[in-house]
Amino acid sequence: MAQLDERKLDPALALASLDDTAPREPHRQFALKHGDCFAVADAYGDIRGAGDGFFRDDTRVLSEFRLTVGGRPTSLLGASLSQDNVLFTTNLTNLPIENLEGREVPQGAVHIERVRLLWENRLYERVTISNYSQQDSTIALSLHFAADFRDMFEVRGSTRAKRGTVHEAETSTGSVVLRYEGLDKLVRVSVISFSHSADNLSAGRADFRLAVPKRGRQIFYIEAGPDVAGQPSRQRFRAAAARARFGMRAKRRHGATIHSSGRVFNDWVGRARADVALLTTELETGPYPYAGIPWFSTAFGRDGVISALQMLWLNPGLARGVLAFLAQHQATETSPFSDSQPGKIMHETRKGEMAALLELPFGRYYGGVDTTPLYIHLACAYANRTGDMAFMDTLWPSLCAAADWIEEASRLTGFLTYQRAADTGLANQGWKDSFDSVFHADGRIPKGPIALVEVQGYVFAAFKGLAELASRRGETEKAGHWAERAEAMRIAVERHFWIEDLGFYALALDGDGNPCIVRTSNAGHLLYVGLPEAGRAERVADQLLAAPFHSGWGLRTVADDAIFFNPMSYHNGSIWPHDTAICGAGLARYGVRDDLVRLMSGTFESAVHFNMRLPELFCGFTRAPGEAPIAYPVACLPQAWSAGSVFMLMQACLGLEIDGWNGEIHVDRPRLPIGIDNLTIRHLGVGANAVDLTFQRVGDRVGAFLASRDEGKVPLIVRT
């Protein structure tokens, strides 16, 4: 049985005991993805076997992939991803070396370009060696490789008592076959092949003698995949690149697009849209945004729902895909090992060896207390956005089963609580799922079952939305019942979670009903669903925007006076862009617009420092003049709900809602981001129509108007 603890929930802790050469700058690593495979490498294009690698179906099929020239590492000139996230390119040069004729080649005389892409479970790489010296040279180039076939959870720090069998490598002049037979009897294979015959090829290294004339170049190709598919070549590389780019363009065309007067702002929006597209995988049920690379490149319930909510106003098709997948995988039986109960919505699914052998419960795991009400909330929001009652009809049995589970799970206390059913599961089952993320003011870890404040807000939103849907379906009895449940939850939260002396909501109630009197960003999620009465919402908003929470870059997860506050922690003082965005949307709901604009500005400036890509999280240190935000060591990058944060914040600033039932666009007191004078949303779908909606700054006000051939078919209702 694998040894698991909550260290796996904080990859920084899990990797602390690994190779000291592990990459420590997530924003200087580069990720590619296609389907259920992804690759993470450093700026050199090298894989070194710590948290990086080439992964397929939750197994690392390349744990080393390094290039040396003349027996030495290369020197980095620069690295980048293409705007569409399809191609990774790094530019390198040589350190001082000797060529194979025995002559010195000075540093900077040889240029090495590595271009890489993924397509259909295969890694393609083109290596171009250019000789800028004044002499012909035969240059030694070596590729160092290995495949440890470790399960993702092993890479994250879990230990296993026993592993499968690693077979002896099979080599030929043009390829090497690495093979592992797991304890699950599945044979996993990694084949590395070359366009040139290697002068020397072993189980872990391929050496090439490349004759490069002065002012000339040599190009060769490498592929790594599950089988031998043909000799790598220019034609194969170009064909894979063309198919990959076409596929990515097709994904990015879904939904509306955004263009503003700010060039750098547009770069952020474009990168975020490309990251959502990169992480979105086409499943049988439709598109699904995988959570993040490297640790969470799979379907997560909570992450998928929140990412879909962020993108809903632009691309409701993503929400439809998420809902269809989660409905298909809804629990139908009770299992303590997987934390499942009939009606509950999945938290996580995995395909690796450890999941298949039930060494851990994450093959299909249901230990997320918030996923089920969030699933219902997304369904109701999708219905309001699209008016798609036909899809709601197909989803209705699943929604009713999810509501039944919530009611049954809340029966004893009136609140939706969690307590893991088996020691292999997660101790904390909200979005902050570290072992120490829920605590009392004095540092005591509360005993379960635990009722998180934001989860009760999600339940309120779920029942309220279901009541409205049931009413539209003519099911008046259910509508009345769920409306009563929503109101009962609202009253209960106000009564039991509000701490008057603090002017804030408690983080949670423990198993004895005692509040965890800690100020956390969880309370901002209550604003997002509209539960608090106006006076209390104003007090919460004022505190979220004050220095203990607001670092200048975003909102900390915990106020800086909390006993466990640590700006370098995973959940207790760091900044999660999706959390900031949800809180920001909550502020907008209660009319806090100008401060929201400043919050979005800080988020944008953070993205600029992270090369236009917001990581999963970053450290919660207070912003200081001239300094950049500080990266969290091993945050996922890209992360779907971080990329989607810009769209949730933007919708909140614009005050934009689409009424799918009546085919109307509503704009309430719009604001534009700082430095943006106009912004256009193109091909915004409203029912069967598509319109272009423009926001224009006029003095100290912002106006909105439609400009398209369908503008007369879609009413625009603006409140300024």
Side-chain angles (χ1 to χ4, degrees):
M1 178 67 68
Q3 297 176 6
L4 293 175
D5 61 26
E6 284 74 14
R7 287 170 64 89
K8 68 182 176 59
L9 298 173
D10 186 344
L13 297 177
L15 289 178
S17 60
L18 296 180
D19 185 353
D20 287 339
T21 65
R24 299 301 181 191
E25 296 181 89
H27 57 296
R28 297 309 301 157
Q29 294 190 56
F30 295 84
L32 297 170
K33 176 187 173 295
H34 184 254
D36 285 316
C37 71
F38 68 90
V40 177
D42 63 20
Y44 295 78
D46 287 340
I47 293 169
R48 299 181 176 274
D52 51 358
F54 178 32
F55 294 80
R56 186 171 60 244
D57 291 334
D58 285 324
T59 299
R60 185 161 63 183
V61 294
L62 275 183
S63 52
E64 183 181 15
F65 197 70
R66 294 187 299 110
L67 205 63
T68 57
V69 175
R72 300 192 67 184
T74 53
S75 178
L76 178 65
L77 298 175
S80 64
L81 284 170
S82 59
Q83 184 64 34
D84 60 7
N85 283 328
V86 170
L87 297 177
F88 163 73
T89 302
T90 183
N91 288 278
L92 311 161
T93 190
N94 65 299
L95 296 173
I97 59 172
E98 282 190 358
N99 62 23
L100 293 178
E101 292 83 11
R103 296 191 298 270
E104 289 188 0
V105 179
Q107 181 167 347
V110 178
H111 175 245
I112 306 102
E113 180 194 63
R114 302 176 70 178
V115 182
R116 178 180 300 160
L117 68 107
L118 300 185
W119 178 250
E120 293 185 342
N121 293 323
R122 189 172 300 276
L123 182 152
Y124 294 81
E125 183 159 322
R126 181 185 70 207
V127 181
T128 304
I129 309 293
S130 300
N131 180 5
Y132 289 97
S133 73
Q134 300 304 307
Q135 58 189 12
D136 298 341
S137 285
T138 303
I139 295 171
L141 185 142
S142 298
L143 180 70
H144 307 257
F145 52 83
D148 61 6
F149 295 102
R150 291 193 176 274
D151 187 279
M152 171 57 77
F153 284 91
E154 291 183 274
V155 177
R156 289 171 62 180
S158 298
T159 58
R160 301 177 69 190
K162 187 178 180 181
R163 300 190 78 246
T165 302
V166 178
H167 293 274
E168 186 174 343
E170 303 168 17
T171 61
S172 64
T173 56
S175 65
V176 58
V177 180
L178 307 175
R179 184 177 283 107
Y180 167 78
E181 183 175 355
L183 298 177
D184 57 356
K185 304 304 180 184
L186 183 65
V187 177
R188 294 166 172 86
V189 179
S190 191
V191 180
I192 306 168
S193 50
F194 315 99
S195 59
H196 292 47
S197 295
D199 294 284
N200 180 61
L201 182 59
S202 66
R205 176 171 168 173
D207 296 323
F208 302 88
R209 298 166 56 94
L210 299 178
V212 189
K214 62 182 179 181
R215 315 299 293 180
R217 65 181 185 175
Q218 277 269 20
I219 303 175
F220 75 103
Y221 298 87
I222 309 168
E223 293 182 18
D227 51 29
V228 178
Q231 186 177 16
S233 65
R234 177 177 182 268
Q235 292 75 20
R236 286 178 56 82
F237 182 89
R238 286 169 60 89
R243 290 193 294 267
R245 300 201 105 150
F246 180 82
M248 187 63 75
R249 280 199 301 271
K251 286 198 288 187
R252 293 181 69 184
R253 280 197 296 266
H254 293 162
T257 59
I258 297 168
H259 185 80
S260 79
S261 58
R263 182 181 59 81
V264 179
F265 187 84
N266 289 339
D267 289 344
W268 179 33
V269 172
R271 174 59 71 187
R273 192 63 183 269
D275 283 351
V276 173
L278 174 72
L279 290 166
T280 298
T281 301
E282 288 293 333
L283 305 176
E284 291 182 2
T285 48
Y288 199 102
Y290 282 8
I293 298 174
W295 312 113
F296 310 120
S297 186
T298 187
F300 275 76
R302 177 192 302 120
D303 297 64
V305 167
I306 290 177
S307 299
L309 284 167
Q310 293 170 330
M311 301 298 298
L312 181 60
W313 64 293
L314 294 169
N315 180 18
L318 190 62
R320 184 181 175 119
V322 169
L323 291 166
F325 178 85
L326 294 178
Q328 185 180 86
H329 294 86
Q330 189 170 26
T332 57
E333 61 183 13
T334 298
S335 168
F337 181 68
S338 62
D339 255 322
S340 67
Q341 294 168 331
K344 202 172 182 184
I345 296 298
M346 185 199 75
H347 168 69
E348 176 180 1
T349 183
R350 294 285 183 174
K351 297 181 178 179
E353 180 184 0
M354 293 176 72
L357 293 169
L358 303 183
E359 295 180 26
L360 38 73
F362 302 114
R364 191 177 296 172
Y365 181 59
Y366 293 84
V369 69
D370 51 357
T371 310
T372 305
L374 279 171
Y375 163 74
I376 296 174
H377 174 56
L378 174 63
C380 298
Y382 170 84
N384 291 336
R385 167 65 176 86
T386 63
D388 186 358
M389 188 58 86
F391 182 58
M392 287 299 102
D393 289 343
T394 66
L395 214 59
W396 194 247
S398 171
L399 294 173
C400 291
D404 288 345
W405 175 79
I406 293 173
E407 293 204 47
E408 180 60 32
S410 309
R411 194 170 301 281
L412 290 179
T413 65
F415 295 115
L416 183 56
T417 62
Y418 67 88
Q419 186 166 17
R420 65 179 172 185
D423 289 343
T424 50
L426 301 179
N428 282 317
Q429 297 187 359
W431 85 262
K432 298 175 183 176
D433 51 10
S434 301
F435 74 98
D436 62 349
S437 62
V438 181
F439 55 95
H440 282 288
D442 59 4
R444 287 178 296 118
I445 301 298
K447 70 175 185 177
I450 293 169
L452 289 168
V453 65
E454 81 278 11
V455 173
Q456 316 318 312
Y458 302 154
V459 171
F460 161 78
F463 283 137
K464 184 178 179 183
L466 279 178
E468 295 170 358
L469 267 182
S471 180
R472 289 185 180 276
R473 290 172 54 87
E475 300 188 35
T476 55
E477 185 175 343
K478 284 185 175 180
H481 171 72
W482 284 326
E484 290 175 3
R485 290 303 307 266
E487 180 61 14
M489 178 59 77
R490 187 192 67 78
I491 292 170
V493 169
E494 294 283 44
R495 178 181 300 155
H496 295 281
F497 283 85
W498 179 254
I499 308 298
E500 180 60 32
D501 292 344
L502 208 61
F504 212 78
Y505 291 92
L507 164 61
L509 302 181
D510 67 15
D512 294 324
N514 298 315
C516 298
I517 305 176
V518 183
R519 292 188 301 161
T520 67
S521 63
N522 303 55
H525 295 220
L526 285 187
L527 304 188
Y528 169 69
V529 298
L531 184 148
E533 60 90 10
R536 289 180 175 179
E538 182 179 357
R539 295 173 72 182
V540 170
D542 287 345
Q543 293 185 59
L544 288 174
L545 293 166
F549 277 107
H550 195 347
S551 72
W553 300 115
L555 301 183
R556 301 182 179 101
T557 54
V558 176
D560 65 6
D561 57 358
I563 192 168
F564 283 168
F565 172 76
N566 179 351
M568 300 174 289
S569 70
Y570 196 50
H571 283 131
N572 288 334
S574 52
I575 296 167
W576 290 65
H578 89 278
D579 184 45
T580 293
I582 291 173
C583 292
L587 295 173
R589 184 169 192 138
Y590 286 88
V592 184
R593 293 302 173 86
D594 293 333
D595 288 310
L596 169 62
V597 170
R598 285 188 285 272
L599 185 64
M600 185 172 188
S601 178
T603 305
F604 166 57
E605 289 157 5
S606 300
V608 170
H609 285 288
F610 287 117
N611 299 311
M612 296 304 172
R613 254 188 170 168
L614 285 170
E616 175 189 16
L617 72 155
F618 53 96
C619 293
F621 293 104
T622 300
R623 183 173 183 171
E627 295 186 3
I630 297 172
Y632 184 79
V634 286
C636 283
L637 191 68
Q639 181 90 352
W641 64 13
S642 290
S645 297
V646 56
F647 304 108
M648 180 172 270
L649 285 168
M650 187 180 301
Q651 181 186 16
C653 284
L654 298 177
L656 188 153
E657 295 288 342
I658 298 171
D659 179 353
W661 304 113
N662 298 306
E664 298 174 347
I665 300 174
H666 295 245
V667 174
D668 182 15
R669 292 167 294 171
R671 300 289 190 276
L672 281 170
I674 293 173
I676 303 301
D677 292 324
N678 62 74
L679 182 147
T680 298
I681 305 159
R682 295 177 177 145
H683 307 295
L684 182 64
V686 184
N689 303 307
V691 298
D692 293 349
L693 176 61
T694 295
F695 293 84
Q696 179 72 48
R697 193 184 303 278
V698 181
D700 60 354
R701 303 183 69 176
V702 174
F705 59 91
L706 295 174
S708 76
R709 61 186 178 185
D710 288 338
E711 60 182 287
K713 301 176 183 178
V714 179
L716 172 62
I717 301 168
V718 182
R719 178 188 173 199
T720 58

